[in-house]
Amino acid sequence: MTSTRQGAVEVITFGCRLNTYESEVMKAEAAKAGLDNAILVNTCAVTSEAVRQARQAIRRARRENPEARIIVTGCAAQTEALSFAAMPEVDAVLGNEEKLKAEHYRRLPDFGVSAEEKVAVNDIMSVTETAPQMVAHIDGHVRGFLQVQNGCDHRCTFCIIPYGRGNSRSVPMGAVVEQARKLVENGYREVVLTGVDATSYGADLPGNPTLGLLAKTLMKQVPEILRLRLSSIDSIEADSHLFDLIADEPRFMPHLHLSLQHGDDMILKRMKRRHSRADAIAFAEQVRRLRPGFAFGADMIAGFPTETAEMAGNSARLAEEIGIAHLHVFPYSPRPGTPAARMPQLDRALVKARAADLRAVAERLQAVHLASRVGTRQKLLVERNEMAHTEDFTLVATPGMKPGSFVEVSIGGHTGRHLTISAAAASVAA
């Protein structure tokens, strides 16, 4: 969760980088509408815990700001609009499309209306285009996030997000280039391309450009970008242009975050994922042949319905075979309305235990990765909390260093969570 303020409008953001990006659009549109003394809560629906945290934040916001207008939006608001509208702390609920337009902030209802009157949420499946949203600044971040795609055409059995975001739609390539130029003009030298299913980029555009081609075009058209990253990708959709970038473009960072979800083929089928265990291993091997030392992050779900101990072990073994440096583990969370919620469920205690076991594997793999970087020289982009990331997205403590600066340092050790810099002075990187 992050919280930022612009004038009399505060935005509390949960969830993904796309939400972070859209929160900047929301602040600008709310200001354009003349909204005053308001708190916008941009929710996430990926897990029941994310929804619970949003409700908790709403109640806290009301206690601390009794006179403010509280407006709830985001994926959880899109999928559970009436339940949020029924909260006495909430003054209005906007859908994922409505939150990006000033006109909807101008039409907010008066206090004291019914739950139904509080809601302005359309049928997200009827949205067929994603308008480019021009964002010049990402508050609190030294990396510039850039939306290239929204929605998802796939229907993984555990996932509610397509019902919060709609079907896949892409931002035209020219608009992405224009937005990237605006970001670098405002001082951003690292750009992260974001989307709900970013690797499906371009299927709905003339000529069917791909995410890899878009990234190549950005590298050529906006040479001031020093670092380009992708948010989470579906490796089965990787194209030849993306492999070209991995092999030949040093400004394309040597790190990808993979949407793996599981390491057992039967569970992957029950999830309706489109890759197999072998596909994931082959992708990682191909990437590392093209660029040795490449690092991977990944998402995995523990305790999916029907998962046996052997199946859970296959997830751990897949993480080990690939050598996942940054593994995010999610205990399975049944989302109402999804097919997986109707499957035979595991006991919640067992789900939590499986997640704890997989997190232990994640911590061990992270320690191995960190140890492999000790004694190396690394180029960093310093962030605002006295931390930084290497090119392969490894976290480094940078006490006293200026946020937004690029530096080159010697790595002296690690804490098990992040790298530490040796006593030798850091130098400014080119």
Side-chain angles (χ1 to χ4, degrees), residues 250-328:
R251 292 180 297 153
F252 185 83
M253 293 295 94
H255 166 263
L256 287 171
H257 191 84
L258 309 178
S259 180
L260 292 181
Q261 308 307 344
H262 212 274
D264 182 83
D265 282 338
M266 181 57 72
I267 294 295
L268 288 170
K269 287 180 180 178
R270 289 171 181 165
M271 288 179 164
K272 285 191 72 174
R273 300 294 294 164
R274 291 169 301 140
H275 70 271
S276 66
R277 175 192 183 86
D279 291 331
I281 293 170
F283 175 80
E285 289 176 345
Q286 182 176 358
V287 168
R288 287 196 174 120
R289 280 196 301 270
L290 296 172
R291 195 185 300 191
F294 206 96
F296 293 103
D299 294 329
M300 279 193 172
I301 296 172
F304 188 80
T306 76
E307 181 190 76
T308 65
E310 182 180 0
M311 291 170 173
N314 283 337
S315 276
R317 284 184 283 275
L318 178 64
E320 290 168 342
E321 282 189 61
I322 294 177
I324 300 295
H326 319 289
L327 180 60
H328 296 174

Side-chain angles (χ1 to χ4, degrees), residues 406-429:
F406 281 96
V407 297
E408 186 168 348
V409 302
S410 294
I411 302 301
H414 74 87
T415 66
R417 299 287 182 181
H418 59 76
L419 297 172
T420 58
I421 298 171
S422 68
S427 60
V428 176

Side-chain angles (χ1 to χ4, degrees), residues 75-388:
C75 290
Q78 181 74 42
T79 57
E80 303 179 37
L82 289 180
S83 69
F84 279 100
M87 294 179 68
E89 299 86 356
V90 173
D91 298 302
V93 179
L94 298 182
N96 264 330
E97 186 72 5
E98 288 79 7
K99 73 182 182 183
L100 304 176
K101 298 175 181 177
E103 63 194 75
H104 294 287
Y105 294 105
R106 295 191 188 103
R107 296 175 183 169
L108 291 176
D110 294 330
F111 291 93
V113 298
S114 70
E116 288 77 7
E117 291 173 290
K118 293 180 181 180
V119 175
V121 177
N122 75 348
D123 175 8
I124 197 69
M125 295 302 178
S126 68
V127 180
T128 58
E129 295 181 352
T130 290
Q133 305 289 344
M134 294 294 113
V135 172
H137 178 73
I138 314 292
D139 197 23
H141 293 270
V142 297
R143 294 191 298 277
F145 301 143
L146 179 49
Q147 180 188 7
V148 302
Q149 181 272 344
N150 204 341
C152 185
D153 289 339
H154 311 302
R155 296 295 181 266
C156 297
T157 59
F158 56 84
C159 187
I160 196 69
I161 297 305
Y163 306 99
R165 288 285 181 177
N167 291 317
S168 182
R169 50 210 189 273
S170 309
V171 178
M173 192 177 295
V176 175
V177 172
E178 181 183 353
Q179 173 66 7
R181 286 196 179 114
K182 179 174 288 191
L183 287 171
V184 298
E185 285 169 4
N186 283 281
Y188 291 95
R189 293 295 178 265
E190 179 171 317
V191 173
V192 184
L193 305 186
T194 69
V196 175
D197 180 24
T199 34
S200 70
Y201 176 84
D204 57 325
L205 295 178
N208 304 125
T210 62
L211 181 66
L213 180 60
L214 172 65
K216 268 187 180 178
T217 302
L218 280 174
M219 294 279 85
K220 181 178 180 180
Q221 298 293 329
V222 194
E224 298 86 356
I225 297 174
L226 298 183
R227 288 180 164 188
L228 184 69
R229 296 189 189 275
L230 305 181
S231 60
S232 181
I233 72 162
D234 198 339
S235 61
I236 202 70
E237 294 178 314
D239 67 292
S240 60
H241 294 293
L242 182 57
F243 288 120
D244 289 344
L245 283 169
I246 291 167
D248 303 325
E249 178 50 79
R251 292 180 297 153
F252 185 83
M253 293 295 94
H255 166 263
L256 287 171
H257 191 84
L258 309 178
S259 180
L260 292 181
Q261 308 307 344
H262 212 274
D264 182 83
D265 282 338
M266 181 57 72
I267 294 295
L268 288 170
K269 287 180 180 178
R270 289 171 181 165
M271 288 179 164
K272 285 191 72 174
R273 300 294 294 164
R274 291 169 301 140
H275 70 271
S276 66
R277 175 192 183 86
D279 291 331
I281 293 170
F283 175 80
E285 289 176 345
Q286 182 176 358
V287 168
R288 287 196 174 120
R289 280 196 301 270
L290 296 172
R291 195 185 300 191
F294 206 96
F296 293 103
D299 294 329
M300 279 193 172
I301 296 172
F304 188 80
T306 76
E307 181 190 76
T308 65
E310 182 180 0
M311 291 170 173
N314 283 337
S315 276
R317 284 184 283 275
L318 178 64
E320 290 168 342
E321 282 189 61
I322 294 177
I324 300 295
H326 319 289
L327 180 60
H328 296 174
V329 176
F330 298 88
Y332 170 73
S333 174
R335 308 300 291 123
T338 61
R342 300 190 296 272
M343 295 179 184
Q345 305 291 304
L346 302 187
D347 181 80
R348 292 310 299 172
L350 179 57
V351 171
K352 290 179 180 179
R354 295 258 173 93
D357 290 344
L358 193 52
R359 286 193 183 109
V361 173
E363 290 176 3
R364 178 165 50 80
L365 291 174
Q366 183 181 40
V368 170
H369 172 75
L370 292 170
S372 73
R373 295 328 190 235
V374 174
T376 64
R377 294 281 292 177
Q378 296 287 338
K379 294 180 179 179
L380 313 178
L381 172 59
V382 181
E383 298 172 21
R384 299 187 180 187
N385 54 356
E386 295 198 323
M387 301 298 287

